[in-house]
Amino acid sequence: SISDKAILIVDDMDSMRQLLKAILRDGGCKNIAEASNGSQALELAKSRYYDLIISDWNMPKMDGLEFLQSVRLDDKIKDTLFLMVTSESEKENVVKAIQARVDGYVIKPFTQITVTKQVIATFAKQIRFE
């Protein structure tokens, strides 16, 4: 279950972080951290273990793709599950994210069901290939 998972939410918009946090809490997740950009998130990801990172694509300082690439290049955190949140207009970016070994993505605007299904599917994928 996701109740015992540590999840890091990364988005420069506080309202989006709060929304994702509420969705995850509804799903039973209690262990949620947040960061407002990729460079802050990278420091957090290096300092403690997260089961899953949910990151927005468009952010200042370090965008979601750069953050994902940095995670994948770091031996300590390279296997962390990573969900990318992207808007409908950035769908062509999905290919770049797949090349950078993203584990899944959520297209904005999203619903609670979409996010929950994607989080569960991402964890299920991990269990299957472990």
Side-chain angles (χ1 to χ4, degrees), residues 19-20 23 106-117:
L19 176 63
L20 284 166
I23 290 171
V106 176
I107 307 284
K108 283 186 206 168
F110 53 74
T111 63
Q112 180 166 354
I113 292 169
T114 315
V115 173
T116 306
K117 275 186 176 165

Side-chain angles (χ1 to χ4, degrees), residues 13-33:
M13 285 177 61
D14 183 58
S15 57
M16 195 55 72
R17 291 196 311 272
Q18 298 313 317
L19 176 63
L20 284 166
K21 222 160 49 173
I23 290 171
L24 291 169
R25 283 216 175 104
D26 272 2
C29 188
K30 295 168 192 71
N31 193 349
I32 305 166

Side-chain angles (χ1 to χ4, degrees), residues 49-63:
Y49 176 80
Y50 293 97
D51 295 286
L52 173 67
I53 294 168
I54 302 175
S55 177
D56 188 33
W57 189 294
N58 262 321
M59 297 181 292
K61 291 189 183 149
M62 179 190 279
D63 69 27

